[in-house]
Amino acid sequence: MTLPSQAAVVVIGGGIIGCSTAYHLARDHKVDVVLLEQGKLTSGSTWHAAGLVGQLRSSASITRVLKYSVDLYKGLEAETGLATGWKMTGCLRLATNADRWTEYKRLATTAKSFGMDMHLLSPAEVKAMWPLMETGDLVGASWLPTDGQASPSDITQSLAKGARMHGAKLYEDVRVTGFEMKGDRITAVNTDQGDIACDKVVNCAGQWARQVGAMAGINVPLQPVKHQYIVTEKIAGLATDAPTLRDPDRRTYFKEEVGGLVMGGYEPNPQAWTTGEVPNDWEFRLFDDDYDHFEQHMIQAIARVPALETVGVKQMINGPESFTPDGNFILGVAPECANMFVGAGFNAFGIASGGGAGWVLAQWVVDGEAPLDLWVVDIRRFSNLHRDRHWVCERTLEAYGKHYTIGFPHEEYASGRPRIVSPLYERLKRQRAVFGSKLGWERPNWFAPESVEPKDVYSMGRQNWFAAVGDEHRHVREHVGIFDQSSFAKYELSGPDAAKALDWICANDVSKPVGRLTYTQLLNTRGGIEADLTVSRLAEEKFYIVTGTGFRTHDASWISDHIGEGLDARLTDVTEDFGTLSLMGPRARDVLSAVTGSDVSNASFPFGHIREIVIAGHTVRALRVTYVGELGWELHVPIAATGEVFDALMAAGKEHDIRPVGYRALESLRLEKGYRAWGSDITPNDTPLEAGLGWAVKLRKNTDFVGRRALEKVGGASLKKRFAGFTVDDPEIVLLGRETILRDGEPVGYLTSGGHGYTVGKNIGYGYVRSADGVSDDFLASGSYELVVAMQRTPANIHLEPLYDPAMERVKA
């Protein structure tokens, strides 16, 4: 065997993800692709996967990826002649308590929003479908008929054959040993059998993806965890087409296989394999059976399927699976390397995801940008925090343990905390702050009154913080609040060509005089919104960019990748250099003027400006901007001075009744004001025109920018979807997002975010209304609207203007 000396794309790893990516690169894009597998195809974790194929996730794009897998597996045998073992048995998910049942009603609503038909069944209907099951403790079950199961090895071999049929070259027994680099680009892949020069590399190395990435300086934060399941002897009375079964309240799953059952589960005390290197020779290998650890699943499984007590066990599989710190897989271009793409960390969803993940990853490799909103799986959602293998291990084990727990709204992870704290952490703790975490940062979500224990109590209805957050919300509307937003991601772009670079990258016009601030989106070539941030001009050749905490790696990577070839502009991450205090509310100016000698009147310091002012002897960057719909400033303070400046503001604000406020109130305030949140309301799938943000796009200016052509194409045409607000009067309703929007009884979209507006006294949701014939103002206004919340219809009113606007006069005053 002689390896080729060059290829356009080298795929590393011959499991289902690598073979699917190679197949789609060759079939859809006719790319010259070489796949390298260090052992045999499927020999990592693919061969011992259980092979359950479920499709529904809370993201519309990821659900689309999983649905694509099912469609691919259905037709693959006809194309390649190799069977995939695909059986559309459907899937039952069991519920034994009211909270789980509410979760399923919400999931069924989401499924219908995404065009899938999930049914809710009674215990008697479940018993009829699965007679061997004990149903006495059931409230009911959800039933998704299009789910199924497949043979992981057979699918992979079928994809491999398909890849070869379309011209891909696949090589087994070839180990990658390193990369030749030029700057931040790979120029060649080194192997134990020669080097291959290439344009791009796709790291689909499964549990080895971390160490393959490390060879190119890339961090792939995943953790191999031991996952066990058993295969039983034949069970009398078990139908060969029995639905796959998930019993999350007992943490177990079942699928029929050759007349017996495959049964495994997700325990709360999982066992990590190694935080070090995974052995290269781990080919078709398993760990020793561990019946002591597995006993917890066996007890629960026998209670559900009593026949298991007497049936023999043919085999126990105890193998490593790659899991991630948040339970979502990892796709996309690595921020540290311009031409390495990653597809790894599939959290035991590799078979379900494999077909679709290969499809979008191949498109991503060819286009250089994701074809859908794939933010929840984007590798750029991580940060340097995720280079700490022990932290990643601890958090990943918590995520594994939550695989089957009820997904309560607003639930926070508990492990590895506190990790990153602002200088105000202890002060806010003394004020009874209840913290959440975002990208490692501790952030106050709400402040508990003396009568309430300062901790979250999760539930499917109104949670224990509801009233306290209402008080904070009203306080900002009527007096003044101070938010610790030190976790904001902050960068400086400087150099002779900084303005030119930003003109190309930003959709809005940032070429304003020094001292001006611009709210802008960054767009992809489809006109979709890749980022949503503020750009302030500090000097002719220096700009200050502020974005959300979780988007730190993503936005820096996007900006760096789009600085034009040959331009002299440098992006520096200064997140830890500045603490951020947001002073918001009608009394904000009274407080600020008491602590600084600068003139902060509206005439001297208008909305949309940035000034350097001195507070408590420290130079502070003051940004006149708001996310709450009230007069206010973001104060960016040298990090070491954050405490002193906070104390000065609190002392001066005492007579104006200042108080610290948390992120939950920030969310309810922005909902009332109609401000969009990136990642939910605005995503790479949505354009500014559809999102009602056309005013923030410089289409009237004769300047090219990323996404301009796509927007110009639709500019004159009627939009097929438009962003709108909805209110529900019923106080018992809880809106979270993903609820279906009905117009005249017909589904036209779903909510992207939801919550409660304390000033307007109503539940608020936002979402896109869709119509193939176009969505005009008349179309929106003339409909009668309802929302489907947990399968129940409730009347709703549509709003095309902010729900709370008197404040606009105060914001600009």
Side-chain angles (χ1 to χ4, degrees), residues 639-656:
I639 193 91
T642 311
E644 281 179 68
V645 171
F646 175 81
D647 291 344
L649 289 166
M650 289 298 285
K654 202 164 187 182
E655 64 178 289
H656 304 291

Side-chain angles (χ1 to χ4, degrees), residues 209-406:
R210 186 164 67 180
Q211 52 224 59
V212 167
M215 295 175 192
I218 287 155
N219 182 40
V220 184
L222 49 80
Q223 173 62 48
V225 180
K226 296 178 181 182
H227 184 75
Q228 294 189 93
Y229 65 87
I230 57 168
V231 186
T232 74
E233 302 285 358
K234 288 193 173 180
I235 298 175
L238 180 65
T240 53
D241 61 349
T244 57
L245 198 62
R246 288 182 171 86
D247 189 4
D249 295 325
R250 294 184 183 274
R251 300 177 181 271
T252 50
Y253 60 80
F254 306 81
K255 75 160 190 170
E256 185 277 337
E257 189 168 291
V258 204
L261 279 176
V262 167
M263 185 279 285
Y266 293 88
E267 62 275 18
N269 57 335
Q271 298 174 315
W273 182 16
T274 174
T275 55
E277 303 291 278
V278 174
N280 283 326
D281 59 355
W282 194 268
E283 185 184 349
F284 294 119
R285 281 175 64 184
L286 296 169
F287 305 112
D288 293 337
D289 297 348
D290 188 348
Y291 276 101
D292 288 345
H293 191 72
F294 194 71
E295 184 185 19
Q296 56 189 312
H297 294 316
M298 208 68 225
I299 290 166
Q300 296 292 344
I302 289 167
R304 179 63 65 216
V305 185
L308 283 172
E309 193 160 17
T310 53
V311 75
V313 173
K314 211 187 320 185
Q315 190 183 13
M316 172 173 263
I317 305 283
N318 185 4
E321 296 263 11
S322 291
F323 284 80
T324 64
D326 61 3
N328 287 322
F329 49 88
I330 301 173
L331 286 185
V333 62
E336 308 94 334
C337 176
N339 62 341
M340 181 184 267
F341 294 77
V342 179
F346 277 83
N347 303 283
F349 276 110
I351 309 309
S353 316
W359 161 56
V360 292
L361 194 51
Q363 190 82 46
W364 206 331
V365 169
V366 169
D367 293 346
E369 62 182 43
L372 301 169
D373 169 24
L374 297 172
W375 167 241
V376 293
V377 296
D378 194 320
I379 190 168
R380 293 168 298 180
R381 71 189 187 273
F382 301 117
S383 68
N384 282 334
L385 158 71
H386 295 89
R387 290 184 175 275
D388 180 338
R389 289 187 170 191
H390 295 288
W391 189 92
V392 165
C393 180
E394 190 182 344
R395 176 58 59 88
T396 301
L397 293 182
E398 183 185 5
Y400 179 105
K402 286 183 166 178
H403 195 85
Y404 274 166
T405 58
I406 293 167

